[in-house]
Amino acid sequence: MNTQTSSKSDDLNQPIPVGEALPHRKIIRSWLTPLADKSTVTAILLLVVDFVILISLILGTIFFEAWWLKLICSLVAGFWIGRIFIIGHDACHQSLTPHRGLNKWLGRIAFLPSVSPYSLWDVGHNVVHHGYTNLKGVDFVWAPASEAEYQAMSAGRKLMERIYRSGWAPGVYYLYEIWWNRMMFPSKGYMGTQRKAFFWDGLLCSVFGILWAGLVIWAAIATEQSVWALLFFAWLLPLFFWFSMIGWVVYVQHTHTKIVWHDDKAAWAKAQPFVSTTVHLVFNFKFGAVLHHIMEHTAHHVDMSIPLYKLKQAQAKLEEMLPERIVVQKFSWSWYFRTARSCKIYDYVNQRWLDFKGQPTPQAL
């Protein structure tokens, strides 16, 4: 009996051949368990360093005289808001440090520059998105309409869909559809359950955003600069870059000609969605590290407890154990815009992407 048990265990620790059924999620997660250890020192150091860099960039937008230097600092500041948000994202998953209470506070602090309410992100992302990834009617982020739904839309809504999925406006999508409608004091239509934490986190972010703008106005007056120009460089543009960044990141993580969406819960559950609904986007020059490895996204969906500083190892292990099962895409802007042109609406019956004319999209782009 012991020999048989040992043999079965060894089999489960070998790569799963193509064509064989995937093992239970608990077994897949067990492959990654050794990588789930967390370091409080590493987490706090990452957060402090990124905050110092962000503050330096904002100060650059204020004190540099050349407009182009202000512009560079502004855009990089927007990117750095994204880096800090990724740290907060880990804290919200309780994967940043071993301490639950500390994670909640570090997460709230890390979410402030992106003006993102911690508790609302927790529900929308951890509970809804991770709990029901790519299940239409539940997971709402970049959920594609069916052809019938698209045809039934008003002219105005069709226009918005075309703008959102043009490839040029992920920030507009995220700013309105996610942040404004679902994160900043959402109505019951968007968030049926109302909690005190939602209000207080929304208020905290609102006060932070207003205080940030107020300090920029004060700095403009003190340095005899145009208030409107400095607000643009030191406040508005970094925030809009951040909204564009998060909208783009979530889009490319779950939109691909090989990525499947479902509208039937039973079929969705059977499809092992934590493996089949995410993309591992690969960059040149190790750019993924600059994004705190958040693009090693399949591993993150398999086990949310893995900290960002171990995701690269976890993704490599997963791809070793599940050869040819995970969508791995080398990033290029040509690939991205081909995808944006082709993945407009979705045929949930045949599980394939369509363009707005209803034409099927080839899987290889």
Side-chain angles (χ1 to χ4, degrees), residues 152-188:
M153 290 177 185
S154 66
R157 182 62 199 187
K158 283 182 178 179
L159 175 61
M160 292 308 299
E161 285 293 313
R162 288 178 176 274
I163 292 172
Y164 291 158
R165 293 187 176 272
S166 67
W168 295 99
V172 176
Y173 169 84
Y174 188 88
L175 177 62
Y176 181 68
E177 299 290 343
I178 307 300
W179 184 78
W180 182 251
N181 283 338
R182 298 177 182 273
M183 295 185 70
M184 295 305 292
F185 309 104
S187 66
K188 286 188 177 181

Side-chain angles (χ1 to χ4, degrees), residues 216-291:
V216 171
I217 292 170
W218 172 82
I221 295 171
T223 57
E224 298 182 342
Q225 298 183 63
S226 164
V227 169
W228 292 111
L230 200 57
L231 272 174
F232 174 78
F233 285 117
W235 184 71
L236 182 62
L237 186 56
L239 280 174
F240 187 71
F241 186 100
W242 145 249
F243 286 127
S244 298
M245 178 179 175
I246 183 63
W248 179 85
V249 165
V250 178
Y251 177 87
V252 296
Q253 285 174 340
H254 298 280
T255 306
H256 191 284
T257 53
K258 295 180 180 178
I259 288 296
V260 176
W261 276 79
H262 298 268
D263 61 356
D264 178 81
K265 189 173 181 180
W268 167 84
K270 187 178 180 180
Q272 299 272 42
F274 49 88
V275 171
S276 63
T277 56
T278 57
V279 179
H280 174 202
L281 208 58
V282 180
F283 297 88
N284 290 326
F285 311 115
K286 298 183 179 180
F287 185 72
V290 183
L291 289 167

Side-chain angles (χ1 to χ4, degrees), residues 21 28 53 69 75 147 166 207 227 250 255 293 322 325 333:
I28 296 177
I53 293 172
L69 285 175
L75 295 174
E147 185 175 9
S166 67
V207 170
V227 169
V250 178
T255 306
H293 297 294
L322 297 175
R325 302 297 188 91
W333 285 111

Side-chain angles (χ1 to χ4, degrees), residues 34-55:
L35 299 170
D37 290 340
K38 303 161 187 67
S39 167
T40 300
V41 172
T42 300
I44 292 177
L45 184 62
L46 284 171
L47 189 60
V48 169
V49 169
D50 273 358
F51 258 110
V52 169
I53 293 172
L54 175 63
I55 292 168

Side-chain angles (χ1 to χ4, degrees), residues 307-344:
L308 58 88
Y309 39 87
K310 293 186 178 179
L311 275 178
K312 185 177 180 179
Q313 296 166 267
Q315 185 73 30
K317 180 65 175 179
L318 204 58
E319 291 175 13
E320 173 196 339
M321 298 299 289
L322 297 175
E324 299 183 40
R325 302 297 188 91
I326 295 167
V327 177
V328 180
Q329 177 64 52
K330 180 71 175 293
F331 175 76
S332 70
W333 285 111
S334 61
W335 163 79
Y336 168 68
F337 282 108
R338 286 197 305 272
T339 299
R341 285 195 301 270
S342 302
C343 298
K344 302 295 191 182

Side-chain angles (χ1 to χ4, degrees), residues 348-362:
Y348 288 90
V349 175
N350 297 299
Q351 292 190 328
R352 60 187 181 181
W353 287 92
L354 310 173
D355 60 23
F356 281 129
K357 295 178 181 179
Q359 298 299 313
T361 297

